[in-house]
Amino acid sequence: MSLYDLNKEQLQDLKEVLQSLLDHSNAAIIKNNFIKSFFNYTLDGNLKGNYNHFGAKSYRPTSSNPNLLNQPSTGSKYAKPIKKCFKTTGNKLFYAIDYSSLEDRALANLSEDENKIAIFEEGLDGHCTHSYTYFKDEIENELPRKKGESKSDFIKRYHYEVENGNTVLKNIRQKSKAPSFKLNYLGYPDSHKGGSITPEIYDKYHNELYLGVTRFRNKMLSKAHKNGRIHLGLGCYLYTNNVEDQERTLNNACSQYWSILALLTMEKMNSLIEENGLSNDIEFVTTIYDSLYLKFTKDPEVLKWLNDNIVEVMSKDFLPDQKVHNEVQGEIGYNF
């Protein structure tokens, strides 16, 4: 019997069974990765862990015993209960701030790709931009493009329809996510193996959507072949003796490397905090790649000083003649 032989009720029962198995598996991960760590590595009410600076090949930090970079994703049913365990005491609040789409902004600036830059400069939705490239006929069949309407204006109207309940367009946008994510990390056609990247989507991504990104990556790999290394930025190099086997690592490091800006922000902010006599009022708690977490004294003037200074530091350009500028977003609360 195949799935096609099941009726609606049987399919629903199967879905509930599979979901229960997933929940059971996720619960085991939560128990082993988080709950045990709370008991094993908590001292004086604080969870202690180890950070390894430049632990990853992309110069990102890694963490162990416990892994403080590993938290349940936002979509997980366990995310909020776990994050509520991290809370402030006394007259302190948490301040969390993160870079908006840092990897994508870095790639846009490094590659100078027109379409990648346009997503940020024109305020376009990336998934709508991708899906319109892959599934143009399907989308225009549901939402005809007006005569003389620019591509940017049409993508904005398409996104508006998705946000306002057009399920057909929403589903088309959704099915572009998996191939785009894989292609962003140097995926190849895999539809013959049951994957989501068809040869047509692969061709449109590289030769229509992101020509500049493709040129940048080809140039980077060519330099790796010639020099045995690539320059990631700020004097940091990634060495290779086998480009073919390591091309995905080389590719991903080009944009992931720039999470180093979070570490540079911590260094700069710690200096400013000490210079201004605020060491008892503002303290870094942790960093998770592009995000920074601090706790501060519950005082409007302290919060204003923190917000003004950290936003200024994080918003600085990191490349000469940077076209797509950094954006950050902060939040405050009693727990994570």
Side-chain angles (χ1 to χ4, degrees):
M1 178 182 287
S2 71
L3 290 175
Y4 298 104
D5 298 319
L6 301 178
N7 60 39
K8 188 175 181 180
E9 290 183 359
Q10 290 171 324
L11 284 170
Q12 182 59 34
D13 289 342
L14 177 61
K15 181 179 178 182
E16 291 178 4
V17 169
L18 293 174
Q19 186 59 54
S20 296
L21 292 172
L22 286 172
D23 289 343
H24 182 270
S25 175
N26 289 334
I29 293 172
I30 295 297
K31 177 183 175 183
N32 294 323
N33 286 10
F34 299 102
I35 304 303
K36 284 186 177 180
S37 294
F38 292 166
F39 288 100
N40 294 337
Y41 299 103
T42 296
L43 299 172
D44 300 324
N46 293 307
L47 183 63
K48 305 289 186 178
N50 298 297
Y51 279 100
N52 310 304
H53 287 292
F54 311 137
K57 291 180 180 179
S58 61
Y59 286 86
R60 277 183 164 186
T62 56
S63 180
S64 57
N65 299 323
N67 184 356
L68 297 176
L69 298 171
N70 185 16
Q71 290 198 21
S73 61
T74 303
S76 167
K77 65 188 291 185
Y78 303 104
K80 287 187 177 181
I82 290 295
K83 290 177 181 179
K84 282 182 179 179
C85 293
F86 296 91
K87 59 184 181 180
T88 57
T89 57
N91 67 332
K92 299 289 186 179
L93 284 172
F94 279 131
Y95 179 98
I97 188 166
D98 69 311
Y99 287 94
S100 173
S101 305
L102 180 58
E103 283 188 38
D104 244 12
R105 289 174 189 270
L107 186 56
N109 285 305
L110 293 168
S111 67
E112 298 184 337
D113 184 279
E114 291 182 2
N115 285 333
K116 184 71 78 171
I117 290 172
I119 287 175
F120 295 105
E121 287 190 340
E122 299 180 31
L124 303 179
D125 177 75
H127 296 305
C128 285
T129 302
H130 299 160
S131 57
Y132 185 58
T133 304
Y134 309 151
F135 314 116
K136 180 179 178 179
D137 292 341
E138 284 185 56
I139 292 169
E140 290 191 0
N141 185 56
E142 173 68 19
L143 184 70
R145 189 167 168 178
K146 299 174 182 177
K147 186 177 180 180
E149 186 176 25
S150 70
K151 181 179 176 181
S152 294
D153 286 342
F154 178 76
I155 290 173
K156 289 179 181 178
R157 187 159 63 90
Y158 164 30
H159 185 230
Y160 176 84
E161 290 291 324
V162 170
E163 291 291 291
N164 285 274
N166 187 314
T167 55
V168 173
L169 293 177
K170 183 177 181 179
N171 290 336
I172 297 173
R173 177 182 179 273
Q174 180 65 30
K175 72 177 180 178
S176 75
K177 291 184 178 181
S180 294
F181 181 80
K182 292 180 180 179
L183 287 162
N184 192 50
Y185 292 100
L186 219 62
Y188 290 96
D190 60 4
S191 56
H192 60 291
K193 300 178 183 178
S196 57
I197 305 176
T198 64
E200 293 78 16
I201 288 177
Y202 182 87
D203 179 69
K204 287 181 177 180
Y205 180 92
H206 287 287
N207 298 313
E208 181 180 341
L209 181 60
Y210 292 136
L211 275 165
V213 171
T214 302
R215 283 194 297 268
F216 167 75
R217 286 170 171 164
N218 290 340
K219 185 177 180 180
M220 176 272 296
L221 293 173
S222 177
K223 286 184 177 180
H225 276 289
K226 180 180 178 181
N227 304 322
R229 68 179 189 177
I230 59 171
H231 180 219
L232 297 177
L234 306 178
C236 294
Y237 291 86
L238 180 57
Y239 289 80
T240 177
N241 56 11
N242 192 329
V243 176
E244 283 73 20
D245 284 351
Q246 298 167 356
E247 64 175 14
R248 187 165 292 180
T249 298
L250 293 164
N251 170 76
N252 297 350
C254 289
S255 52
Q256 290 179 349
Y257 163 77
W258 289 102
S259 64
I260 197 172
L261 295 177
L263 300 182
L264 295 174
T265 294
M266 290 180 70
E267 176 66 23
K268 178 63 176 178
M269 285 300 299
N270 276 328
S271 296
L272 291 174
I273 290 167
E274 186 174 346
E275 289 171 9
N276 286 271
L278 293 168
S279 298
N280 293 326
D281 293 300
I282 302 173
E283 178 185 358
F284 276 96
V285 175
T286 188
T287 174
I288 302 178
Y289 301 125
D290 304 340
S291 302
L292 294 163
Y293 296 82
L294 306 93
K295 60 181 178 181
F296 68 96
T297 301
K298 196 191 304 181
D299 181 309
E301 292 185 1
V302 172
L303 174 58
K304 185 178 189 310
W305 184 95
L306 169 59
N307 191 71
D308 288 349
N309 282 274
I310 199 167
V311 169
E312 181 181 353
V313 172
M314 293 176 74
S315 299
K316 288 184 183 296
D317 288 348
F318 56 91
L319 292 172
D321 303 318
Q322 186 169 321
K323 292 184 178 180
V324 178
H325 303 289
N326 294 342
E327 289 188 9
V328 297
Q329 182 172 358
E331 296 179 312
I332 60 173
Y334 289 100
N335 58 55
F336 273 21

